[in-house]
Amino acid sequence: QVQLVESGGGSVQAGGSLRLSCAASGATYSRTCMGWFRQAPGKEREGVATILTGVGSTYYIDSVKGRFTISQDNAKNTLYLQMNSLKPEDTAMYYCATGRRPLAYYNTYCRPAYANDYWGQGTQVTVSS
């Protein structure tokens, strides 16, 4: 029901910046969990950051705190990931994902496990030293 299309990946030098975008179409709802995940070759996929749509509360894994910022533009139905101070360890395929249904009101934020119903095709981020 929901289609997600990522863009903005590329190759940058360590310390550089990239901004990833995720355009969503189809049936979307407020208070759903949307997030960015990444997977490097031979590694497990990990959730990087999430946002509770409409609410705006965010979650980040420790390794990207202070460097990455997740945000949303509700009018454009688009999710963003601003990536600053990039490190070679950030090299991975980055995926946008969203949960299927709204979360209960007692949820003040969401963890990545709640944003895994629909997935984009991925966009490659490569950081060189």
Side-chain angles (χ1 to χ4, degrees):
Q1 291 183 337
V2 177
Q3 184 175 3
L4 305 171
V5 180
E6 301 100 328
S7 62
S11 298
V12 298
Q13 187 177 356
S17 298
L18 285 173
R19 192 188 196 198
L20 307 183
S21 298
C22 172
S25 61
T28 59
Y29 304 93
S30 186
R31 294 195 65 87
T32 55
C33 189
M34 296 192 70
W36 290 95
F37 296 74
R38 66 186 181 187
Q39 187 167 21
K43 301 293 185 180
E44 296 285 329
R45 182 178 61 189
E46 64 176 348
V48 175
T50 67
I51 188 166
L52 188 59
T53 64
V55 177
S57 55
T58 58
Y59 165 87
Y60 302 92
I61 56 171
D62 288 343
S63 61
V64 308
K65 288 181 179 177
R67 300 189 298 119
F68 291 8
T69 303
I70 188 171
S71 62
Q72 65 178 152
D73 185 334
N74 287 328
K76 297 180 179 180
N77 211 15
T78 300
L79 185 72
Y80 301 97
L81 185 67
Q82 179 66 47
M83 309 165 67
N84 298 328
S85 301
L86 283 163
K87 304 175 181 179
E89 306 93 273
D90 297 317
T91 296
M93 185 72 73
Y94 282 72
Y95 299 89
C96 175
T98 185
R100 179 176 63 86
R101 62 195 307 169
L103 300 182
Y105 279 95
Y106 63 75
N107 293 286
T108 57
Y109 75 103
C110 60
R111 292 183 179 272
Y114 290 90
N116 65 353
D117 290 319
Y118 301 101
W119 295 85
Q121 84 290 346
T123 186
Q124 178 68 39
V125 171
T126 302
V127 184
S128 62
S129 59

